[in-house]
Structures are given as structure tokens and as C-alpha cells.
Amino acid sequence: MEKVADIASDIGEYIRQQRNTAKISLRQLSKLAGVSNPYLSQIERGVRKPSAEILQQIAKGLRISAEALYVQAGILDLPTGGPVGDAIRADAELTERQKQVLLDVYESFRRENAAARPAAAPASDTPDTAPAVKNEESA
């Protein structure tokens, strides 16, 4: 039961942060999302845990991805991507759209490099580099 309360509190805090970043009042978001003002207030305070449908409406009102809210609410698992992806997602200066574009570009570079990796030997295994290091050390 305590874990459910933590999730509700986390998603509520996240929605409040997104709303404040977007400079939208609670009443404005309520109208944009089609969710009653008291219910939205309860969500932000962690009193209520919203359904996926309500999260989708709130995301639409905030103009962020519903997936971001689903991850925060524990409905979806956090996407992988390591520390770079985590840093992009955590940056409060970026909009959700900007974050998604950066993550897409980053992942496309990773896929491209992974595809090219078997054809090229890693730099640490190159025979020319190892002797040069040993010669410098022995000098």
C-alpha cells in the first residue's frame, strides 16, 4: 500500500513540475486536459493515482508525451540508454519533445556504431598502439 502512495506522489510531483515549467496554472491545465480542477489537484498532491487514460489527457494538456507520464507512474518501464539517456531525461531545461528528439538521435548513432563495430577492430586491440606505448615506457 505504501508503494502505491509513493507512485501517486511521484507522478503528482512530476505533473506539477511539468505544469510549472510550462507556466500553466492548475485551472488552465484542468481545462486543457478535460480533468476536473479538484481531481487534478488531488493527483498533484499524491492523494489520487490517475489511470492511463487520465494521464494521456494530462499529457495532451501539457504537450508532453504520454509515455513520459506512464514511465513516471510506473505503467511503463524506464527506457534503457545508460547515463546519457538518463541525463537527457532529467534535464529540466528541455521540453519533452526536445528530450525525445535528442534520445532518438543518440540511439540512432549507437545503432549505427554497433552495426559498424564487427567490421572494425577496437582501437585498444590494434597491434601498432601497444608497442608504441611500451617503447615510451621503457625509455
Side-chain angles (χ1 to χ4, degrees):
M1 188 69 161
E2 191 175 315
K3 189 170 185 156
V4 171
D6 289 345
I7 290 171
S9 176
D10 291 346
I11 186 62
E13 180 60 30
Y14 183 78
I15 291 169
R16 178 180 285 126
Q17 287 173 354
Q18 293 301 312
R19 182 175 57 76
N20 289 334
T21 300
K23 295 181 173 52
I24 299 173
S25 72
L26 188 69
R27 190 164 282 148
Q28 288 171 317
L29 179 57
S30 170
K31 283 184 179 183
L32 290 169
V35 177
S36 77
N37 194 37
Y39 185 60
L40 187 56
S41 175
Q42 290 174 346
I43 291 170
E44 283 193 359
R45 289 182 287 128
V47 176
R48 297 272 186 131
K49 184 174 186 251
S51 67
E53 293 80 18
I54 296 295
L55 287 175
Q56 187 173 18
Q57 290 174 244
I58 293 170
K60 196 175 199 178
L62 288 170
R63 294 187 172 179
I64 62 174
S65 73
E67 182 183 65
L69 290 182
Y70 294 159
V71 168
Q72 288 294 320
I75 295 171
L76 288 178
D77 291 331
L78 184 64
T80 58
V84 174
D86 292 345
I88 291 170
R89 284 184 209 90
D91 192 329
E93 296 295 317
L94 300 174
T95 66
E96 288 301 316
R97 171 125 174 75
Q98 291 168 333
K99 290 176 188 180
Q100 192 57 54
V101 169
L102 280 173
L103 289 167
D104 290 346
V105 169
Y106 177 67
E107 285 304 318
S108 72
F109 285 149
R110 287 177 50 93
R111 282 191 302 273
E112 183 180 308
N113 291 343
R117 197 170 292 128
S124 61
D125 293 341
T126 312
D128 292 339
T129 17
V133 172
K134 287 183 183 174
N135 287 340
E136 289 174 6
E137 289 174 2
S138 60

